[in-house]
Amino acid sequence: MPRFDHQAAEARWQALWDERQSFAADDNSDKPKAYVLEMFPYPSGRIHVGHVRNYTMGDVVARTRRAQGFEVLHPMGWDAFGMPAENAAMEKGVHPGGWTRANIVAMRTQLKRLGFALDWSRELATCEPDYYGQEQALFLDLLAAGLVYRKESAVNWDPVDMTVLANEQVIDGRGWRSGALVERRKLSQWFLKITDFAEDLLDGLKGLDHWPEKVRLMQENWIGKSTGLKFTFRLSPSPLAGEGDSPQASGVRGGFDVFTTRPDTLFGASFAAIAADHPLARQCAEGNPALAEFVAQCQAGGTAAADIETQEKLGFDTGLSVVHPLDPNIRLAVFVANFVLMDYGTGALFGCPAHDQRDLEFARKYQLPVLRVVAAECEEDAPIGDEAYTGPGRMVHSRWLDGMTAEDARAAVIARAQAEGWGEAVTQYRLRDWGVSRQRYWGTPIPIIHCEICGVVPVPKKHLPVILPEDVTFDIPGNPLDRHPTWKHVDCPQCGKPARRETDTLDTFTNSSWYFIRFASAPDDRPFDPAVAAKWLPVGQYIGGVEHAILHLLYSRFWTRALQRIGMLDVAEPFAGLFTQGMVTHETYSRPQGEGLPPLWFAPDEIERSGSGATLKTDGAAVEVGRVIKMSKSKKNVVNPDATVARYGADAVRWFVLSDSPPERDLVWSEAGIDGAWRFVQRVWRLAEDNAAASEGVPEPKLDRAVHRTIAAVTSDIDRLQFNKAIARLYELVATLERSAAGPSRRAGVISCLQLVAPMAPHLAEEAWALLGQTGLICDAAWPVADPALLVDDEVTIAVQVNGKLKGDFTAAKGSDKAALEAAALALPGVLRTLDGAAPKKIIVVPDRLVNIVA
RNA sequence: GCGGGCGUGGCGGAACCGGUAGACGCAGCGGACUUAAAAUCCGCUUUCCCAACGGAAGUGCGGGUUCGAGUCCCGCCGCCCGCACCA
C-alpha cells in the first residue's frame, strides 16, 4: 500500500513556502497583527527535543493565527553570546565566534527541517555587530538618562583562571574549573537602575492576566515589597574613640538607621543588631581584634542556601548601646550579628524576640529579655516558648499602645515617629539593581572609555559599534580583551589623550532584553523604528521555559519600561501573553565505575532496550536504567531529533511532542509514543486518498455535526494552548470519518479535518490538500468556522440516578419537559429494580442532563 | 521556614459552571486478513463478586456540605517547583 512519503513531501513544501515567502511578516499589512514568539535558542550545538517542543507549540499558534486572518510575525534568532562558547574555546581550542557560528548553521538547518512557519528574513544573532552595536547605543541612551551607574561591588574571583565566576560556578567555595579557592574581590562595575522601576514592575504584573499566576507570584516575591518604619537609633553617650575617617563616619557616629515592618513591637525590643559589613561594625572592629575576627568569620561564611538553614545565630557584643526611640531611659545593646544582611534595608535592625523567630533564637543564646507585646486572645502573660508569635492580636506591655490592635499600633508608632522627627514610613524592596558587567570576552563590549583626565567617557555614538575583536587567544587564563595588543588602547574622545577601553562586556541577559523589539523593526542606523515596533508589540503569545520566570522576563519588562521612560518606545509591557512549557525528559543509562568514581553515562542511541532492562549495544552487557529526568548533556540522556525526523518525518515528531502531555507539564520522550504519531499521519493520508475524488450522495447531518463540533473544540483548544486535547479530538474525528459512508459530508469533513491538522502536521496537510485538488496552499486557506446551527444537538442522553447512583440512561428530544423526563426515568428497568415498588421521596430533574430519584 | 502547584487505570492523561469518572493515546490481550510476516482492521482492557443476568467499591487519607463531590469546605499524608536568615 502506498504510504505518505514524508521525505519528499517535506522537501517539496518547505521549498515552496520558502520560495513564496509564505511566512514573511508585512509591516504594512492592514490585517490585525499577531506577534508569536518563542524564546530564542542559545546556539549550544544541536537542537534537542525540548527545542522541538517549544517551537512546535509556537508554530501551531502562528499557523492558526495566520489562517484566522492575522498578519503574523513569527521570527527566529540566536542568543549567541555567552560562556559555553568560551568554555568550548578553552577545552577544544576553537574560537568562540567560529564555534557559535558553526552551531548556528547546524541548528538553523535542523529547525528548517521541521517546517516551522518562521520569517527567516528577520533572523538575527546577538553576537553580530549589527545587533550588539545597537545594544551599545541603547546602553548609552540609558546612561544619558541616568539609568546606568557605576559602583564598587563584590564578585567571586577565581585566582587561577583569573576570571569572575557566577554564583552557580562556585562549588564549596572553589572555582568549578580550576578548583581554586574563590576570593571575594571588589570591582567597579556597571549597574542598571532596575530598582527605579520596582513599583512599576510590581504594579504592571496586575495587568498581565494572560500570564501564569505562578510566574506573576514569583516576580512579585522577587521584587519583594514591604512597608514599614525606618528610624534612627541614637548611640548612647558615644564611647567611640577617635575620629572615623570613612565617608559614612558622620552617619555612624551619631547612630544608625534601622528598618522594620513591625514598629508595633518596638516596646518588645531587647537588642539592636548590625551586619558584619555595616560601616559601624568595621569601625568598631578597628580597635577590637576579637570583633575583627568575628566580622571576617561572618564574611567567609557560605552564602550557599543549604548552610543558612542550619547556621546558628551568632552575635558579638560591640559594647555600644543605643537609645530606645520611645523611651530615652531604655538602652539596647548593639550586636554584630551573622544573620543581618547588609544589602537589605539599612543593614541593621532592632530585635524583638517575642515576635520574630530569628530574634528569639538569638535572645535565647545570649540570655536577652523576651517580652511579649502582642497577645492573641487570653494569653497576655503566656510565656514565649521556642516559637515567636507572629500572628495578629492586641498590644500589651506597651504603655500608650496597650489595647490597640497590632495593626493600629503600627500606624500609631509610624505617626509618632514622623511627628517627632526620628523616623518615617518607607517602602523596601528586595530587588537589587542589575549588575551587568562581566569580566568575560564573548559578550557585548561596554561602550565606555576610561581617561585619566576626563574620567569615564561614553563612546560617541558615531563611533559605534565598538567591535569585539576576534583575533584573540584562549591559551592563557583571563580575559583576552585585557591582553589584546591594541584593542583597549584608544584616544579619549574628549581630550584626545591616550585612554583605555572598558574591557568588561555586558551580561548576556541584556542581549535577550530587547531582541523581540529588534525582530519587529531592524533599521541599519538605529536600534529600531518606534512606529514600526509599536505596530507589532507587545508580543501576543510568548512561549518558553519556566526557568526564565524571573530573570529574563523581569529584565525584559524593565528594559521595555526604561525605553518607554526615555521616550523611545511607547510600550510598557513587552509580553501580553506568556506560556511556560514543561521540560522534555528521558530515562538515563549508566554503569558504576567503582568506588568514589561517578557512574559512566550512556546516550539513548548507545542502548538496546528490552523489557525492564537495557544493554549496551557495543558489548551487550547490562546497564542500569535510571530515573526519568530533564535532558542534560552531563547525563547524556539528550535525544537529538535528526534521526527521528529522518525516520518518522517532521510531522510525526511535531504531532508527538504535542500529543500526550499537557504542554505545561513535563513530557517523557519515548520511541513508542512516536510510533503512534507516525501511525496517525499514515491514517490521515489514507483518509485523504480514499476521499480524493468528489463524491455523489446525500448529506449526512450527523457527520456534519460531528465535524463542526470538532472545528469548534479544536479552535478553542488551540486558543488555550491545550494541544493535547485538540489532538485527542482529531483522533476522534478521524475515526468517525473512517467509519462513515462516502459522500459529500465525508469529503467536506476530510477537508475540514486537514485544515485542523495543518498547524500541527503542515507537510501532510499540504500534500493531502493538493491530492484533494484544493486550490492554493493550505497554509493560506482561511481557518474553518463552525456553524453554530450544527453545534446544537436535537437529541440528548439523559442519565438516570437513584440516590445519586447511576442506574441507566435514555435518549430524549432536546428541551423535553420535566414531567416527560421523570416518567421516562421511572420506567427504566434498572430504576424499577432498584426501587422495588417503593415510592420515590423526591425527584430532581436537570433539563437535558439527568434525573435523580431520591428513594 | 515562606510562597505556589500537584495527587484519577499498567503508563501519559480527559472530565465545561457540582450532574453518566477513566475521553484520546501508549502498552497489553484476543480475533480477522495473509502460505507466513509486516502493515491494516475489529473487539476487550479500573478493581472485586458472579457461569451469566447483574451487583458492589472506586479519583492520596479522614471528615463535612449537597438530591448528587475527582470538582466545594475543614484536617492530614505524599510528591514537585520557586525563594531562602528580607528585619
Side-chain angles (χ1 to χ4, degrees):
Chain A
M1 179 181 268
R3 289 193 191 165
F4 172 63
D5 179 352
H6 65 258
Q7 290 187 338
E10 283 162 20
R12 179 178 315 127
W13 300 107
Q14 285 169 17
L16 200 64
W17 294 328
D18 203 38
E19 183 193 313
R20 296 200 182 181
Q21 295 283 294
S22 290
F23 309 116
D26 178 3
D27 290 340
N28 299 313
S29 165
D30 295 332
K31 295 183 195 169
K33 306 280 190 295
Y35 189 170
V36 181
L37 183 67
E38 301 93 60
M39 292 180 185
F40 66 163
Y42 177 78
S44 56
R46 294 293 180 269
I47 293 289
H48 59 75
V49 189
H51 290 119
V52 175
R53 192 179 189 208
N54 192 185
Y55 299 128
T56 302
M57 289 180 191
D59 204 49
V60 171
V61 175
R63 285 177 178 271
T64 306
R65 290 282 168 272
R66 217 178 106 72
Q68 288 170 332
F70 289 88
E71 185 66 30
V72 172
L73 172 56
H74 186 215
M76 181 54 69
W78 309 96
D79 189 12
F81 271 140
M83 292 206 311
E86 285 186 60
N87 295 339
M90 283 183 268
E91 276 160 23
K92 298 173 192 157
V94 293
H95 188 274
W99 182 83
T100 301
R101 292 185 185 102
N103 288 344
I104 289 175
V105 169
M107 290 170 77
R108 184 195 295 123
T109 307
Q110 288 184 296
L111 286 182
K112 289 201 168 181
R113 235 177 257 153
L114 283 153
F116 295 129
L118 291 163
D119 181 355
W120 285 102
S121 72
R122 295 178 189 242
E123 182 182 3
L124 59 82
T126 58
C127 66
E128 303 303 343
D130 57 358
Y131 184 83
Y132 70 70
Q134 301 301 341
E135 186 170 304
Q136 291 167 337
L138 290 175
F139 180 87
L140 294 176
D141 289 333
L142 296 181
L143 178 68
L147 293 173
V148 179
Y149 66 97
R150 202 166 142 79
K151 117 184 150 181
E152 286 259 300
S153 172
V155 295
N156 303 310
W157 179 261
D158 183 322
V160 171
D161 276 357
M162 297 209 298
T163 185
V164 166
L165 298 177
N167 284 329
E168 305 77 55
Q169 296 171 318
V170 181
I171 298 155
D172 295 332
R174 291 172 182 276
W176 66 301
R177 180 188 298 280
S178 68
L181 276 175
V182 168
E183 300 166 7
R184 284 187 79 71
R185 267 205 192 178
K186 288 240 170 186
L187 290 182
S188 204
Q189 311 220 65
W190 291 98
F191 286 83
L192 300 189
K193 272 195 196 167
I194 190 170
T195 54
D196 260 27
F197 294 79
E199 193 62 42
D200 288 351
L201 289 168
L202 188 64
D203 205 49
L205 290 172
K206 291 189 200 118
L208 296 176
D209 39 336
H210 294 286
W211 276 42
E213 188 58 29
K214 174 186 170 157
V215 175
R216 289 198 286 175
L217 266 165
M218 281 165 73
Q219 292 213 353
E220 194 181 314
N221 294 339
W222 188 263
I223 294 168
K225 179 180 181 172
S226 53
T227 54
L229 172 70
K230 185 169 96 172
F231 68 91
T232 307
F233 266 136
R234 275 186 304 113
L235 283 171
S236 110
S238 172
L240 257 191
E243 297 293 301
D245 55 0
S246 106
Q248 294 101 327
S250 57
V252 164
R253 251 176 312 175
F256 55 89
D257 286 347
V258 298
F259 170 72
T260 178
T261 55
R262 294 296 302 276
D264 50 319
T265 64
L266 206 42
F267 280 112
S270 54
F271 64 95
I274 58 176
D277 35 6
H278 193 282
L280 179 59
R282 285 198 230 149
Q283 206 173 330
C284 293
E286 276 168 29
N288 186 339
L291 176 56
E293 195 188 319
F294 179 75
V295 166
Q297 209 183 310
C298 290
Q299 284 167 338
T303 46
D307 302 343
I308 290 165
E309 183 145 2
T310 52
Q311 206 164 39
E312 201 181 358
K313 308 284 173 276
L314 293 175
F316 192 102
D317 192 341
T318 59
L320 301 176
S321 58
V322 288
V323 180
H324 195 290
L326 291 171
D327 180 351
N329 296 316
I330 305 177
R331 300 290 148 93
L332 302 171
V334 178
F335 288 81
V336 174
N338 66 346
F339 65 89
V340 182
L341 307 172
M342 191 56 216
D343 51 4
Y344 181 76
T346 60
L349 54 83
F350 83 83
C352 176
H355 304 291
D356 182 285
Q357 191 59 36
R358 288 165 326 208
D359 296 350
L360 181 64
E361 286 170 34
F362 190 79
R364 294 287 187 227
K365 183 163 174 72
Y366 296 100
Q367 278 103 49
L368 298 164
V370 178
L371 176 66
R372 176 190 289 279
V373 290
V374 179
E377 280 171 57
C378 308
E379 53 167 281
E380 177 163 343
D381 287 306
I384 300 280
D386 291 339
E387 265 183 51
Y389 177 72
T390 54
R394 293 202 171 263
M395 304 308 298
V396 294
H397 306 129
S398 294
R399 309 186 191 182
W400 53 277
L401 295 171
D402 283 353
M404 288 186 197
T405 63
E407 204 183 328
D408 291 343
R410 278 196 269 280
V413 172
I414 290 172
R416 179 111 157 204
Q418 306 206 117
E420 294 177 357
W422 50 268
E424 55 177 340
V426 293
T427 301
Q428 278 291 334
Y429 299 94
R430 265 187 33 166
L431 185 68
R432 309 282 141 69
D433 275 337
W434 175 15
V436 291
S437 293
R438 295 291 179 274
Q439 294 69 38
R440 290 264 160 206
Y441 163 72
W442 192 235
T444 302
I446 297 177
I448 293 290
I449 290 164
H450 298 280
C451 170
E452 289 207 355
I453 298 149
C454 311
V456 170
V457 182
V459 172
K461 277 202 178 171
K462 60 175 191 272
H463 293 167
L464 294 183
V466 175
I467 303 254
L468 185 68
E470 303 226 358
D471 52 335
V472 292
T473 53
F474 291 85
D475 42 356
I476 349 174
N479 183 350
L481 292 180
D482 261 341
R483 57 172 189 267
H484 190 278
T486 56
W487 185 75
K488 77 175 177 182
H489 304 292
V490 65
D491 291 340
C492 171
Q494 264 172 35
C495 68
K497 297 251 169 56
R500 168 180 76 74
R501 280 193 194 283
E502 171 77 57
T503 55
D504 284 356
T505 53
L506 289 172
D507 179 8
T508 53
F509 277 108
T510 56
N511 304 317
S512 53
S513 289
W514 72 287
Y515 78 104
F516 43 89
I517 309 175
R518 184 79 181 168
F519 273 145
S521 166
D524 292 335
D525 57 342
R526 59 214 148 118
F528 52 84
D529 179 318
V532 177
K535 281 188 189 180
W536 292 108
L537 289 163
V539 173
Q541 184 62 62
Y542 196 33
I543 305 178
V546 72
E547 65 272 21
H548 295 111
I550 298 175
L551 297 183
H552 162 58
L553 289 167
L554 193 64
Y555 292 149
S556 298
R557 294 183 60 222
F558 154 68
W559 198 275
T560 307
R561 279 177 185 272
L563 293 178
Q564 186 188 39
R565 184 177 294 183
I566 66 177
M568 286 186 70
L569 180 65
D570 193 19
V571 174
E573 287 292 338
F575 313 120
L578 173 70
F579 186 82
T580 52
Q581 103 272 15
M583 300 176 299
V584 178
T585 59
H586 196 278
E587 53 188 23
T588 52
Y589 310 102
S590 63
R591 183 178 286 174
Q593 282 204 106
E595 287 194 21
L597 289 169
L600 197 59
W601 301 96
F602 299 102
D605 57 7
E606 299 176 280
I607 296 299
E608 199 72 62
R609 199 74 174 73
S610 55
S612 60
T615 52
L616 194 60
K617 278 180 187 167
T618 49
D619 60 10
V623 293
E624 233 169 86
V625 178
R627 252 163 40 90
V628 172
I629 56 167
K630 179 184 180 175
M631 289 189 181
S632 86
K633 273 191 175 172
S634 64
K635 301 285 189 300
K636 291 186 82 175
N637 64 338
V638 179
V639 174
N640 178 331
D642 284 352
T644 319
V645 170
R647 182 159 163 216
Y648 294 94
D651 290 328
V653 171
R654 293 168 57 116
W655 188 263
F656 173 63
V657 295
L658 295 173
S659 57
D660 282 351
S661 285
E664 68 278 9
R665 273 194 231 175
D666 292 352
L667 170 80
V668 181
W669 179 263
S670 75
E671 288 290 317
I674 193 142
D675 269 334
W678 183 84
R679 278 200 291 271
F680 179 79
V681 169
Q682 298 301 333
R683 247 171 105 183
V684 172
W685 178 245
R686 274 198 306 278
L687 188 64
E689 283 183 321
D690 292 347
N691 293 277
S695 161
E696 301 292 308
V698 287
E700 283 183 69
K702 249 193 162 143
L703 182 58
D704 294 342
R705 263 201 283 275
V707 169
H708 279 255
R709 263 201 305 272
T710 307
I711 292 172
V714 169
T715 305
S716 114
D717 288 338
I718 291 177
D719 273 350
R720 287 177 296 172
L721 308 180
Q722 298 180 334
F723 308 112
N724 57 321
K725 291 194 210 171
I727 279 179
R729 294 189 206 277
L730 286 167
Y731 273 113
E732 283 178 297
L733 179 62
V734 167
T736 305
L737 289 167
E738 283 170 344
R739 265 189 286 257
S740 62
S745 286
R746 188 167 85 172
R747 197 174 136 91
V750 170
I751 288 169
S752 298
C753 178
L754 289 176
Q755 291 185 276
L756 298 178
V757 162
M760 292 89 155
H763 311 90
L764 165 72
E766 291 288 8
E767 192 80 7
W769 189 253
L771 181 73
L772 264 68
Q774 301 294 302
T775 48
L777 298 184
I778 199 168
C779 72
D780 292 324
W783 192 249
V785 177
D787 177 352
L790 290 173
L791 296 179
V792 194
D793 261 321
D794 46 8
E795 279 190 340
V796 286
T797 303
I798 306 291
V800 181
Q801 302 174 328
V802 175
N803 292 333
K805 303 205 170 180
L806 187 71
K807 294 295 166 188
D809 58 31
F810 64 92
T811 306
K814 194 179 170 75
S816 300
D817 63 52
K818 286 194 174 193
L821 295 175
E822 222 176 281
L826 285 169
L828 281 182
V831 172
L832 292 171
R833 207 182 310 121
T834 312
L835 288 178
D836 196 24
K841 286 186 191 137
K842 191 176 168 189
I843 299 179
I844 286 138
V845 179
V846 183
D848 292 338
R849 257 215 126 105
L850 97 171
V851 178
N852 187 14
I853 298 157
V854 186

